[in-house]
Amino acid sequence: MNHILAFFFENYREFSSCPDSDALAEQLGELGFDPEDVGAAIAWLDSLTLAPLAAIRPGSLRIYPAFEVSRIGAENLGFLTQLEQSGAIDAPLRELVIDRVFVLNDEPLPLAHFRVILLIALWRQEREIDPLLLSELLNDLDQADPMH
């Protein structure tokens, strides 16, 4: 799915320019992507909304239970915390990223994959991305192995 998510970002720099789900699925199918992976990626992308997370207050303190730390990975949580403390992301986006990681995998993702999820979440939310952070995340986009 990582390659499909990378395709979204690389070909539609602004989420608003991305075609609807049916047209996108057709385009990806024509490019040779597996239809099952396409469906999963589009469903995952469509689920990137902050609506259910609107009640999270900015600056809220987040305590991670042991099962979250083991599932997300300490390195990924450290990176996420660093971004939040620096103001690059807010609490609702933090929670959205955590939620999407839980949907994708049962074990910690490599940091490069975690950063791709973060990049796609920022893109889907049409958030401004600091140029240095964007450069780092794009580097990870090129280096990440495919996610299953």
Side-chain angles (χ1 to χ4, degrees), residues 12-80:
Y12 306 104
R13 287 296 173 143
E14 294 183 16
F15 180 76
S16 59
S17 66
C18 193
D20 66 47
S21 297
D22 292 336
L24 191 54
E26 184 177 329
Q27 180 183 16
L28 291 167
E30 290 171 359
L31 292 172
F33 287 102
D34 178 79
E36 189 174 311
D37 289 343
V38 169
I42 289 173
W44 187 87
L45 184 66
D46 287 344
S47 69
L48 282 173
T49 176
L50 289 178
L53 303 174
I56 297 171
R57 295 171 52 180
S60 62
L61 177 64
R62 178 65 153 86
I63 306 295
Y64 297 97
F67 79 92
E68 285 185 338
V69 173
S70 67
R71 185 91 179 267
I72 298 168
E75 184 178 25
N76 295 334
L77 288 175
F79 179 68
L80 195 62

Side-chain angles (χ1 to χ4, degrees), residues 52-132:
L53 303 174
I56 297 171
R57 295 171 52 180
S60 62
L61 177 64
R62 178 65 153 86
I63 306 295
Y64 297 97
F67 79 92
E68 285 185 338
V69 173
S70 67
R71 185 91 179 267
I72 298 168
E75 184 178 25
N76 295 334
L77 288 175
F79 179 68
L80 195 62
T81 300
Q82 178 186 14
L83 291 177
E84 187 177 8
Q85 290 175 346
S86 72
I89 66 169
D90 57 15
L93 186 61
R94 172 198 68 213
E95 293 303 314
L96 179 65
V97 169
I98 290 169
D99 179 67
R100 296 295 82 203
V101 167
F102 270 79
V103 168
L104 280 179
N105 213 335
D106 290 336
E107 56 189 59
L109 294 171
L111 182 59
H113 289 196
F114 185 81
R115 289 178 176 189
V116 170
I117 292 170
L118 177 63
L119 175 64
I120 298 300
L122 287 163
W123 171 76
R124 174 61 177 91
Q125 297 299 317
E126 300 186 58
R127 302 277 185 108
E128 288 287 324
I129 305 174
D130 176 89
L132 291 175

